[in-house]
Amino acid sequence: MILIGGPDCPPCVRWKREYREAWIASPEFRQVIWEEVEAARFREVYRERYWPGALAPVLAQIPRKSGAPRFLIVQAGRIVSNHLGVSKWASTLDDLRKLLG
């Protein structure tokens, strides 16, 4: 799973304040590899330099490279869930639970 955002993104800060702690404490968190892709200015977060190594191919799959926070679920190198905005966090978790069985 990948969180895309930045410290100057008010919705990203809101997600971290409201959901991050519960997410890290969840049983689902322990079943995934969690990555956070951030840039000092969130408008730059879709630039290749912020997507190191194995994450670079994921960046190429994102159809619209704007907006944050964005929640991605990647399975076998392919994006299988792509939700944008704090309001879509619940949808991301639903997708993850379906994938985890």
XYZ file of all heavy atoms in Angstrom:
823
model
N 0.848 -1.178 0.000
C 0.000 0.000 0.000
C 0.883 1.227 0.000
O 1.946 1.232 0.618
C -0.898 0.021 1.229
C -2.039 -0.964 1.160
S -3.203 -0.764 2.527
C -3.899 0.822 2.192
N 0.395 2.233 -0.655
C 1.156 3.474 -0.774
C 0.234 4.653 -0.464
O -0.860 4.752 -1.020
C 1.743 3.638 -2.186
C 2.619 2.440 -2.549
C 2.524 4.943 -2.285
C 3.045 2.411 -4.020
N 0.725 5.535 0.391
C 0.068 6.817 0.650
C 0.873 7.872 -0.094
O 2.085 7.952 0.067
C 0.065 7.140 2.142
C -0.265 8.587 2.523
C -1.701 8.926 2.167
C 0.003 8.829 3.997
N 0.198 8.683 -0.883
C 0.846 9.766 -1.618
C 0.348 11.081 -1.031
O -0.856 11.307 -0.938
C 0.502 9.696 -3.120
C 0.918 8.349 -3.700
C 1.151 10.856 -3.869
C 0.357 8.075 -5.069
N 1.293 11.954 -0.640
C 0.888 13.229 -0.069
C 2.063 14.112 0.263
O 3.144 13.953 -0.292
N 1.839 14.999 1.191
C 2.889 15.910 1.599
C 2.479 16.724 2.801
O 1.288 16.875 3.084
N 3.454 17.276 3.508
C 3.161 18.032 4.720
C 2.441 19.360 4.468
O 1.866 19.926 5.388
C 4.546 18.257 5.338
C 5.499 18.143 4.202
C 4.884 17.169 3.238
N 2.444 19.846 3.232
C 1.738 21.091 2.929
C 0.366 20.834 2.314
O -0.255 21.725 1.762
C 2.576 21.977 2.002
C 2.716 21.417 0.603
O 2.615 20.177 0.431
O 2.931 22.211 -0.333
N -0.108 19.637 2.445
C -1.412 19.226 1.907
C -2.382 19.090 3.085
O -2.287 18.121 3.840
C -1.229 17.890 1.170
S -2.724 16.955 0.871
N -3.294 20.047 3.285
C -4.207 19.974 4.429
C -4.987 18.657 4.533
O -5.089 18.101 5.629
C -5.124 21.181 4.237
C -4.265 22.167 3.503
C -3.450 21.320 2.554
N -5.517 18.104 3.426
C -6.203 16.819 3.571
C -5.259 15.685 3.997
O -5.675 14.775 4.716
C -6.787 16.553 2.178
C -6.880 17.896 1.542
C -5.718 18.674 2.081
N -4.002 15.738 3.582
C -3.028 14.723 3.985
C -2.756 14.811 5.480
O -2.706 13.791 6.175
C -1.712 14.896 3.220
S -1.897 14.824 1.437
N -2.599 16.016 5.958
C -2.377 16.244 7.385
C -3.601 15.772 8.169
O -3.476 15.134 9.218
C -2.069 17.740 7.651
C -2.044 18.035 9.140
C -0.749 18.127 6.991
N -4.773 16.042 7.633
C -6.009 15.589 8.289
C -6.060 14.073 8.369
O -6.392 13.504 9.411
C -7.225 16.122 7.528
C -8.524 15.680 8.141
C -9.725 16.263 7.408
N -10.844 15.379 7.624
C -11.680 14.997 6.698
N -11.576 15.434 5.462
N -12.670 14.180 6.979
N -5.724 13.392 7.268
C -5.735 11.923 7.282
C -4.784 11.406 8.351
O -5.138 10.515 9.131
C -5.353 11.341 5.912
C -5.378 9.844 5.971
C -6.457 9.042 5.795
C -4.287 8.976 6.298
N -6.112 7.727 5.990
C -4.779 7.662 6.304
C -2.940 9.190 6.600
C -3.982 6.560 6.582
C -2.141 8.089 6.888
C -2.662 6.798 6.882
N -3.590 11.953 8.401
C -2.616 11.496 9.403
C -3.134 11.742 10.816
O -2.985 10.892 11.692
C -1.267 12.179 9.187
C -0.538 11.610 7.984
C 0.834 12.213 7.825
C 1.553 11.537 6.679
N 2.937 11.982 6.552
N -3.745 12.872 11.041
C -4.262 13.213 12.367
C -5.439 12.314 12.767
O -5.533 11.859 13.900
C -4.690 14.677 12.381
C -5.150 15.176 13.742
C -5.589 16.637 13.723
N -6.759 16.825 12.883
C -6.789 17.560 11.762
N -5.718 18.202 11.355
N -7.885 17.663 11.043
N -6.325 12.018 11.815
C -7.550 11.294 12.140
C -7.476 9.778 11.975
O -8.220 9.057 12.636
C -8.704 11.828 11.289
C -9.057 13.265 11.604
C -10.185 13.807 10.738
O -10.856 13.017 10.036
O -10.394 15.039 10.766
N -6.615 9.292 11.076
C -6.667 7.874 10.730
C -5.355 7.100 10.892
O -5.373 5.883 11.022
C -7.140 7.704 9.275
C -8.523 8.223 9.037
C -8.722 9.470 8.450
C -9.645 7.491 9.413
C -10.000 9.958 8.229
C -10.924 7.974 9.201
C -11.090 9.209 8.603
O -12.353 9.690 8.398
N -4.234 7.784 10.833
C -2.943 7.085 10.790
C -2.713 6.177 11.998
O -2.307 5.032 11.843
C -1.800 8.087 10.654
C -0.463 7.448 10.361
C 0.580 8.538 10.065
N 1.726 8.012 9.387
C 2.760 7.481 10.015
N 2.768 7.397 11.325
N 3.778 7.020 9.312
N -2.958 6.671 13.192
C -2.701 5.882 14.398
C -3.517 4.592 14.414
O -2.987 3.507 14.687
C -2.998 6.715 15.638
C -2.585 6.047 16.928
C -2.807 6.936 18.127
O -2.616 8.161 18.024
O -3.170 6.382 19.191
N -4.798 4.688 14.100
C -5.655 3.493 14.059
C -5.213 2.551 12.943
O -5.237 1.326 13.113
C -7.115 3.889 13.881
N -4.794 3.092 11.817
C -4.321 2.280 10.706
C -3.089 1.479 11.125
O -3.016 0.273 10.920
C -4.039 3.155 9.490
C -3.198 2.521 8.447
C -2.015 2.991 7.962
C -3.450 1.303 7.725
N -1.519 2.144 7.009
C -2.379 1.093 6.841
C -4.464 0.359 7.758
C -2.299 -0.006 5.997
C -4.391 -0.746 6.910
C -3.322 -0.924 6.044
N -2.129 2.124 11.747
C -0.899 1.442 12.155
C -1.174 0.372 13.216
O -0.496 -0.647 13.270
C 0.154 2.473 12.627
C 0.634 3.270 11.405
C 1.322 1.819 13.338
C 1.526 4.445 11.718
N -2.199 0.569 14.016
C -2.557 -0.406 15.042
C -3.449 -1.538 14.519
O -3.700 -2.510 15.233
C -3.257 0.305 16.197
N -3.892 -1.440 13.273
C -4.854 -2.412 12.734
C -4.182 -3.734 12.345
O -2.994 -3.773 12.015
C -5.558 -1.828 11.508
O -4.674 -1.807 10.397
N -4.952 -4.822 12.339
C -4.402 -6.099 11.884
C -4.044 -6.074 10.394
O -3.100 -6.741 9.969
C -5.524 -7.110 12.176
C -6.742 -6.307 12.465
C -6.315 -4.922 12.830
N -4.763 -5.273 9.621
C -4.470 -5.177 8.182
C -3.095 -4.563 7.939
O -2.383 -4.978 7.030
C -5.541 -4.356 7.460
C -6.903 -5.007 7.411
C -7.762 -4.725 8.646
O -7.311 -4.022 9.568
O -8.893 -5.231 8.683
N -2.730 -3.575 8.750
C -1.427 -2.924 8.575
C -0.292 -3.941 8.670
O 0.682 -3.872 7.922
C -1.237 -1.821 9.630
C 0.085 -1.117 9.529
C 0.278 -0.107 8.602
C 1.150 -1.477 10.349
C 1.505 0.545 8.494
C 2.374 -0.828 10.259
C 2.552 0.183 9.317
N -0.426 -4.889 9.579
C 0.623 -5.902 9.769
C 0.704 -6.889 8.605
O 1.644 -7.666 8.523
C 0.402 -6.629 11.090
C 0.668 -5.720 12.286
C 0.573 -6.444 13.609
N -0.777 -6.815 13.997
C -1.660 -5.999 14.548
N -1.362 -4.753 14.781
N -2.856 -6.432 14.890
N -0.263 -6.848 7.705
C -0.290 -7.787 6.589
C 0.179 -7.175 5.277
O 0.169 -7.855 4.247
C -1.705 -8.327 6.410
C -2.194 -9.123 7.604
C -3.609 -9.599 7.397
O -3.890 -10.326 6.453
N -4.504 -9.178 8.272
N 0.560 -5.905 5.291
C 0.951 -5.233 4.058
C 2.318 -4.573 4.214
O 2.802 -4.381 5.328
C -0.075 -4.156 3.626
C -1.449 -4.763 3.414
C -0.144 -3.011 4.620
N 2.892 -4.228 3.102
C 4.066 -3.365 3.086
C 3.535 -1.957 2.881
O 2.828 -1.701 1.902
C 5.039 -3.757 1.961
C 5.576 -5.162 2.216
C 6.181 -2.741 1.863
C 6.351 -5.735 1.054
N 3.841 -1.063 3.801
C 3.313 0.305 3.781
C 4.403 1.257 3.344
O 5.499 1.264 3.891
C 2.813 0.665 5.169
C 2.319 2.065 5.341
C 2.942 3.067 6.030
C 1.103 2.633 4.832
N 2.181 4.222 5.987
C 1.041 3.973 5.261
C 0.062 2.131 4.047
C -0.020 4.815 4.940
C -0.990 2.973 3.736
C -1.028 4.297 4.172
N 4.124 2.039 2.338
C 5.055 3.054 1.841
C 4.348 4.402 1.869
O 3.146 4.477 1.621
C 5.469 2.760 0.395
C 6.179 1.444 0.193
C 7.654 1.515 0.531
O 8.164 2.621 0.799
O 8.290 0.456 0.510
N 5.108 5.447 2.149
C 4.584 6.801 2.052
C 5.478 7.567 1.088
O 6.688 7.629 1.292
C 4.561 7.485 3.417
C 3.566 6.829 4.361
C 3.418 7.539 5.691
O 3.744 8.746 5.775
O 2.953 6.888 6.635
N 4.880 8.092 0.039
C 5.608 8.905 -0.926
C 5.211 10.341 -0.662
O 4.043 10.709 -0.816
C 5.282 8.496 -2.377
C 5.989 9.408 -3.358
C 5.658 7.034 -2.621
N 6.180 11.132 -0.213
C 5.905 12.522 0.112
C 6.958 13.435 -0.501
O 8.098 13.034 -0.685
C 5.906 12.740 1.631
C 4.734 12.131 2.330
C 4.614 12.619 3.764
O 5.621 12.965 4.395
O 3.470 12.645 4.247
N 6.535 14.631 -0.776
C 7.441 15.691 -1.217
C 7.152 16.886 -0.318
O 6.045 17.023 0.204
C 7.189 16.044 -2.677
N 8.136 17.752 -0.145
C 7.937 18.932 0.694
C 6.734 19.742 0.209
O 5.967 20.280 0.995
C 9.191 19.793 0.705
N 6.570 19.795 -1.110
C 5.390 20.423 -1.717
C 4.615 19.318 -2.422
O 5.107 18.720 -3.383
C 5.810 21.511 -2.690
C 6.482 22.660 -1.968
C 6.953 23.768 -2.834
N 6.675 23.611 -4.249
C 6.914 24.528 -5.143
N 7.451 25.672 -4.779
N 6.640 24.326 -6.412
N 3.412 19.055 -1.952
C 2.688 17.894 -2.477
C 2.440 17.979 -3.975
O 2.276 16.961 -4.637
C 1.383 17.638 -1.701
C 0.203 18.451 -2.131
C -0.658 17.978 -3.105
C -0.070 19.682 -1.545
C -1.764 18.714 -3.489
C -1.175 20.425 -1.914
C -2.016 19.944 -2.892
N 2.472 19.143 -4.544
C 2.285 19.261 -5.997
C 3.446 18.645 -6.770
O 3.338 18.400 -7.954
C 2.104 20.715 -6.394
C 0.824 21.316 -5.837
C 0.588 22.712 -6.355
N -0.508 23.366 -5.675
C -1.786 23.215 -5.989
N -2.138 22.430 -6.964
N -2.718 23.862 -5.307
N 4.544 18.381 -6.078
C 5.712 17.770 -6.720
C 5.793 16.261 -6.491
O 6.671 15.597 -7.025
C 6.995 18.422 -6.189
C 7.095 19.890 -6.529
C 8.354 20.518 -5.966
O 9.129 19.838 -5.271
O 8.559 21.722 -6.235
N 4.871 15.713 -5.717
C 4.986 14.322 -5.297
C 4.908 13.313 -6.458
O 5.364 12.194 -6.326
C 3.961 13.996 -4.185
C 2.569 13.813 -4.750
C 4.400 12.797 -3.378
N 4.384 13.724 -7.589
C 4.297 12.808 -8.725
C 5.532 12.889 -9.628
O 5.554 12.297 -10.704
C 3.018 13.059 -9.524
C 1.775 12.694 -8.730
C 1.054 13.655 -8.034
C 1.349 11.375 -8.659
C -0.063 13.324 -7.291
C 0.227 11.028 -7.920
C -0.481 12.003 -7.242
O -1.589 11.652 -6.505
N 6.555 13.571 -9.200
C 7.819 13.610 -9.949
C 8.621 12.360 -9.635
O 8.658 11.885 -8.496
C 8.613 14.861 -9.588
C 7.933 16.124 -10.064
C 8.805 17.316 -9.845
N 8.098 18.523 -10.279
C 8.566 19.733 -10.120
N 9.743 19.923 -9.538
N 7.866 20.773 -10.537
N 9.284 11.852 -10.649
C 9.996 10.575 -10.533
C 10.989 10.524 -9.385
O 11.169 9.472 -8.768
C 10.716 10.255 -11.845
C 9.769 9.848 -12.950
C 10.504 9.499 -14.233
O 11.650 9.028 -14.154
O 9.910 9.710 -15.300
N 11.623 11.625 -9.061
C 12.667 11.590 -8.026
C 12.137 11.196 -6.652
O 12.891 10.779 -5.785
C 13.386 12.923 -7.954
C 12.537 14.058 -7.445
C 13.319 15.335 -7.422
N 12.459 16.445 -7.039
C 12.822 17.673 -7.095
N 14.022 17.976 -7.517
N 11.997 18.619 -6.735
N 10.838 11.296 -6.427
C 10.253 10.906 -5.147
C 9.798 9.443 -5.132
O 9.304 8.972 -4.108
C 9.082 11.824 -4.795
C 9.528 13.242 -4.597
C 9.254 14.213 -5.547
C 10.246 13.620 -3.475
C 9.681 15.525 -5.382
C 10.682 14.923 -3.296
C 10.395 15.875 -4.258
O 10.830 17.160 -4.081
N 9.957 8.767 -6.234
C 9.516 7.381 -6.382
C 10.723 6.472 -6.604
O 11.033 6.102 -7.730
C 8.533 7.280 -7.549
C 7.258 8.006 -7.267
C 7.062 9.347 -7.253
C 6.017 7.413 -6.929
N 5.766 9.634 -6.932
C 5.103 8.462 -6.731
C 5.593 6.097 -6.786
C 3.780 8.227 -6.381
C 4.280 5.863 -6.447
C 3.382 6.917 -6.249
N 11.392 6.090 -5.549
C 12.632 5.319 -5.693
C 12.408 3.873 -6.129
O 11.367 3.277 -5.852
C 13.222 5.366 -4.291
C 12.034 5.482 -3.392
C 11.040 6.317 -4.161
N 13.405 3.347 -6.809
C 13.489 1.921 -7.117
C 12.220 1.243 -7.552
O 11.647 1.545 -8.594
N 11.762 0.314 -6.729
C 10.613 -0.527 -7.064
C 9.315 0.255 -7.191
O 8.352 -0.243 -7.782
C 10.458 -1.627 -6.019
N 9.268 1.466 -6.670
C 8.040 2.247 -6.765
C 7.892 2.966 -8.101
O 6.791 3.355 -8.473
C 7.972 3.263 -5.624
C 7.875 2.699 -4.214
C 7.780 3.828 -3.201
C 6.715 1.755 -4.065
N 8.979 3.146 -8.829
C 8.924 3.866 -10.103
C 7.907 3.275 -11.086
O 7.149 4.027 -11.712
C 10.310 3.949 -10.732
N 7.846 1.954 -11.248
C 6.834 1.397 -12.166
C 5.395 1.663 -11.718
O 4.493 1.737 -12.543
C 7.125 -0.110 -12.171
C 8.533 -0.243 -11.717
C 8.759 0.906 -10.772
N 5.181 1.828 -10.437
C 3.840 2.143 -9.932
C 3.445 3.543 -10.378
O 2.316 3.772 -10.828
C 3.785 2.007 -8.395
C 2.429 2.459 -7.861
C 4.095 0.581 -7.966
N 4.356 4.484 -10.282
C 4.086 5.858 -10.718
C 3.609 5.887 -12.162
O 2.654 6.584 -12.497
C 5.338 6.724 -10.552
C 5.246 8.154 -11.098
C 4.144 8.942 -10.407
C 6.588 8.847 -10.967
N 4.226 5.090 -13.006
C 3.865 5.055 -14.429
C 2.427 4.577 -14.644
O 1.819 4.895 -15.667
C 4.837 4.160 -15.188
N 1.868 3.843 -13.698
C 0.512 3.304 -13.831
C -0.586 4.268 -13.365
O -1.765 4.032 -13.644
C 0.377 2.015 -13.023
C 1.257 0.890 -13.508
C 1.148 -0.286 -12.572
O 0.043 -0.750 -12.262
N 2.276 -0.768 -12.101
N -0.223 5.310 -12.677
C -1.232 6.239 -12.161
C -1.754 7.072 -13.326
O -0.986 7.791 -13.961
C -0.645 7.144 -11.060
C -0.150 6.286 -9.891
C -1.692 8.149 -10.595
C 0.617 7.065 -8.842
N -3.051 6.969 -13.624
C -3.582 7.639 -14.813
C -3.572 9.164 -14.725
O -3.262 9.836 -15.692
C -4.998 7.103 -14.936
C -5.345 6.554 -13.611
C -4.054 6.182 -12.932
N -3.921 9.719 -13.589
C -3.974 11.172 -13.418
C -3.050 11.527 -12.267
O -3.350 11.239 -11.119
C -5.407 11.601 -13.098
C -5.593 13.095 -13.120
C -7.059 13.481 -12.909
N -7.070 14.639 -12.033
C -7.568 14.660 -10.813
N -8.133 13.607 -10.307
N -7.515 15.750 -10.096
N -1.945 12.121 -12.579
C -0.914 12.373 -11.581
C -1.118 13.723 -10.901
O -0.352 14.653 -11.094
C 0.464 12.256 -12.227
C 0.758 10.831 -12.657
C 2.026 10.742 -13.470
C 2.324 9.332 -13.898
N 1.321 8.686 -14.688
N -2.166 13.807 -10.105
C -2.429 14.989 -9.308
C -3.365 14.591 -8.181
O -4.038 13.574 -8.240
C -3.046 16.104 -10.155
O -4.315 15.716 -10.624
N -3.369 15.421 -7.157
C -4.261 15.194 -6.033
C -3.628 14.388 -4.917
O -2.759 13.568 -5.141
N -4.080 14.684 -3.699
C -3.584 13.981 -2.529
C -4.562 14.227 -1.381
O -5.265 15.230 -1.390
C -2.183 14.478 -2.169
N -4.640 13.358 -0.416
C -3.902 12.116 -0.364
C -4.481 11.097 -1.335
O -5.682 11.074 -1.596
C -4.087 11.653 1.086
C -5.414 12.218 1.490
C -5.513 13.535 0.762
N -3.620 10.294 -1.854
C -4.012 9.199 -2.742
C -3.579 7.907 -2.064
O -2.477 7.813 -1.532
C -3.344 9.323 -4.106
C -3.779 8.225 -5.084
C -3.077 8.353 -6.424
N -3.396 9.591 -7.096
C -4.417 9.770 -7.937
N -5.242 8.773 -8.188
N -4.605 10.930 -8.519
N -4.454 6.934 -2.095
C -4.196 5.641 -1.486
C -4.163 4.583 -2.589
O -5.147 4.417 -3.315
C -5.296 5.291 -0.478
C -5.543 6.384 0.528
C -6.618 7.246 0.377
C -4.686 6.572 1.592
C -6.866 8.265 1.296
C -4.911 7.584 2.516
C -5.998 8.434 2.365
N -3.033 3.910 -2.709
C -2.877 2.871 -3.720
C -2.685 1.518 -3.045
O -1.969 1.419 -2.044
C -1.653 3.127 -4.595
C -1.585 4.433 -5.374
C -0.247 4.526 -6.098
C -2.731 4.526 -6.364
N -3.285 0.508 -3.627
C -2.972 -0.870 -3.257
C -2.336 -1.486 -4.491
O -2.898 -1.428 -5.593
C -4.222 -1.659 -2.828
C -4.884 -0.999 -1.609
C -3.848 -3.113 -2.526
C -6.201 -1.633 -1.199
N -1.171 -2.038 -4.300
C -0.408 -2.632 -5.398
C -0.243 -4.109 -5.097
O 0.167 -4.499 -4.007
C 0.975 -1.946 -5.528
C 1.771 -2.571 -6.653
C 0.813 -0.450 -5.746
N -0.556 -4.923 -6.091
C -0.417 -6.367 -5.944
C 0.339 -6.891 -7.157
O -0.048 -6.603 -8.300
C -1.794 -7.006 -5.838
C -1.787 -8.461 -5.445
C -3.200 -8.960 -5.221
O -4.083 -8.740 -6.041
N -3.409 -9.627 -4.107
N 1.413 -7.607 -6.912
C 2.253 -8.155 -7.984
C 2.669 -7.068 -8.975
O 2.652 -7.273 -10.188
C 1.530 -9.301 -8.694
N 2.998 -5.898 -8.437
C 3.482 -4.809 -9.282
C 2.420 -4.014 -10.010
O 2.722 -3.090 -10.759
N 1.151 -4.353 -9.821
C 0.041 -3.686 -10.503
C -0.857 -2.969 -9.513
O -1.183 -3.509 -8.460
C -0.803 -4.761 -11.206
C -0.893 -4.592 -12.699
C -1.792 -5.661 -13.341
N -3.194 -5.330 -13.099
C -4.055 -6.072 -12.404
N -3.709 -7.195 -11.878
N -5.294 -5.709 -12.240
N -1.296 -1.772 -9.859
C -2.254 -1.055 -9.019
C -3.604 -1.760 -9.136
O -4.150 -1.904 -10.223
C -2.390 0.419 -9.450
C -1.078 1.170 -9.221
C -3.533 1.091 -8.675
C -1.075 2.598 -9.748
N -4.130 -2.185 -7.986
C -5.438 -2.857 -7.970
C -6.492 -2.008 -7.256
O -7.681 -2.345 -7.288
C -5.349 -4.268 -7.348
C -4.484 -5.168 -8.210
C -4.832 -4.220 -5.922
N -6.064 -0.929 -6.614
C -6.988 -0.001 -5.957
C -6.335 1.367 -5.964
O -5.154 1.504 -5.628
C -7.277 -0.459 -4.524
O -8.088 0.486 -3.845
N -7.122 2.380 -6.351
C -6.594 3.731 -6.495
C -7.684 4.701 -6.068
O -8.651 4.905 -6.794
C -6.190 3.956 -7.958
C -5.710 5.361 -8.245
O -5.687 6.222 -7.384
N -5.332 5.589 -9.484
N -7.557 5.240 -4.853
C -8.563 6.155 -4.335
C -7.918 7.475 -3.953
O -6.814 7.502 -3.406
C -9.274 5.563 -3.119
C -10.117 4.376 -3.458
N -11.306 4.478 -4.146
C -9.941 3.057 -3.215
C -11.824 3.264 -4.300
N -11.012 2.390 -3.745
N -8.631 8.563 -4.204
C -8.126 9.905 -3.971
C -9.007 10.632 -2.958
O -10.231 10.684 -3.128
C -8.101 10.679 -5.293
C -7.578 12.099 -5.275
C -6.128 12.142 -4.817
C -7.708 12.713 -6.667
N -8.394 11.149 -1.911
C -9.104 11.960 -0.929
C -9.350 11.233 0.379
O -9.494 10.009 0.405
N -9.381 12.011 1.456
C -9.606 11.446 2.788
C -10.915 10.658 2.828
O -10.991 9.602 3.443
C -9.610 12.569 3.854
C -9.964 12.017 5.228
C -8.267 13.277 3.892
N -11.927 11.144 2.137
C -13.231 10.477 2.156
C -13.190 9.082 1.530
O -14.101 8.288 1.743
C -14.277 11.327 1.447
O -13.970 11.437 0.063
N -12.138 8.790 0.792
C -12.025 7.480 0.138
C -11.199 6.479 0.939
O -10.964 5.363 0.493
C -11.426 7.637 -1.263
C -12.296 8.445 -2.196
C -13.625 7.761 -2.423
C -14.454 8.519 -3.438
N -15.693 7.832 -3.742
N -10.747 6.858 2.135
C -9.964 5.940 2.962
C -10.774 4.682 3.284
O -10.259 3.568 3.215
C -9.486 6.636 4.232
C -8.772 5.731 5.185
C -9.131 5.453 6.463
C -7.573 4.982 4.940
N -8.237 4.578 7.030
C -7.266 4.273 6.114
C -6.735 4.834 3.837
C -6.162 3.430 6.225
C -5.630 4.000 3.941
C -5.348 3.306 5.122
N -12.056 4.836 3.605
C -12.903 3.675 3.918
C -13.005 2.744 2.705
O -12.977 1.516 2.859
C -14.282 4.121 4.375
N -13.097 3.307 1.518
C -13.145 2.479 0.300
C -11.833 1.723 0.110
O -11.827 0.558 -0.307
C -13.408 3.351 -0.927
O -14.644 4.001 -0.811
N -10.732 2.379 0.424
C -9.428 1.722 0.324
C -9.365 0.539 1.287
O -8.930 -0.558 0.911
C -8.295 2.722 0.630
O -8.369 3.795 -0.309
C -6.935 2.060 0.547
N -9.812 0.753 2.518
C -9.806 -0.340 3.490
C -10.718 -1.478 3.060
O -10.381 -2.652 3.232
C -10.210 0.175 4.873
C -9.181 1.045 5.586
C -9.737 1.532 6.923
C -7.866 0.319 5.776
N -11.876 -1.153 2.495
C -12.774 -2.201 1.985
C -12.083 -3.016 0.905
O -12.159 -4.252 0.910
C -14.059 -1.591 1.421
C -14.999 -1.059 2.498
O -14.817 -1.396 3.693
O -15.898 -0.279 2.135
N -11.431 -2.329 -0.018
C -10.702 -3.035 -1.081
C -9.625 -3.936 -0.490
O -9.459 -5.089 -0.916
C -10.046 -2.037 -2.056
C -11.051 -1.294 -2.909
O -12.251 -1.666 -2.907
O -10.635 -0.332 -3.589
N -8.897 -3.418 0.480
C -7.822 -4.197 1.092
C -8.370 -5.442 1.787
O -7.836 -6.531 1.622
C -7.047 -3.330 2.095
C -5.923 -4.052 2.840
C -4.855 -4.551 1.867
C -5.316 -3.146 3.900
N -9.434 -5.285 2.525
C -10.020 -6.442 3.234
C -10.487 -7.510 2.262
O -10.342 -8.704 2.529
C -11.145 -5.964 4.135
C -10.616 -5.175 5.328
C -11.714 -4.654 6.240
N -11.119 -3.875 7.320
C -11.459 -2.634 7.616
N -12.417 -2.008 6.926
N -10.861 -1.994 8.595
N -11.027 -7.107 1.129
C -11.433 -8.073 0.098
C -10.216 -8.821 -0.439
O -10.269 -10.034 -0.652
C -12.172 -7.382 -1.040
C -13.548 -6.911 -0.659
C -14.186 -6.109 -1.781
C -15.465 -5.450 -1.303
N -15.972 -4.469 -2.247
N -9.143 -8.101 -0.670
C -7.930 -8.729 -1.188
C -7.279 -9.667 -0.173
O -6.724 -10.713 -0.546
C -6.916 -7.668 -1.625
C -7.284 -6.892 -2.879
C -6.390 -5.664 -3.018
C -7.166 -7.775 -4.105
N -7.347 -9.298 1.091
C -6.739 -10.121 2.135
C -7.587 -11.350 2.474
O -7.079 -12.314 3.031
C -6.506 -9.292 3.406
C -5.454 -8.186 3.300
C -5.425 -7.365 4.582
C -4.075 -8.763 2.989
N -8.874 -11.278 2.107
C -9.766 -12.410 2.355
C -10.275 -12.364 3.729
O -10.554 -13.061 4.534
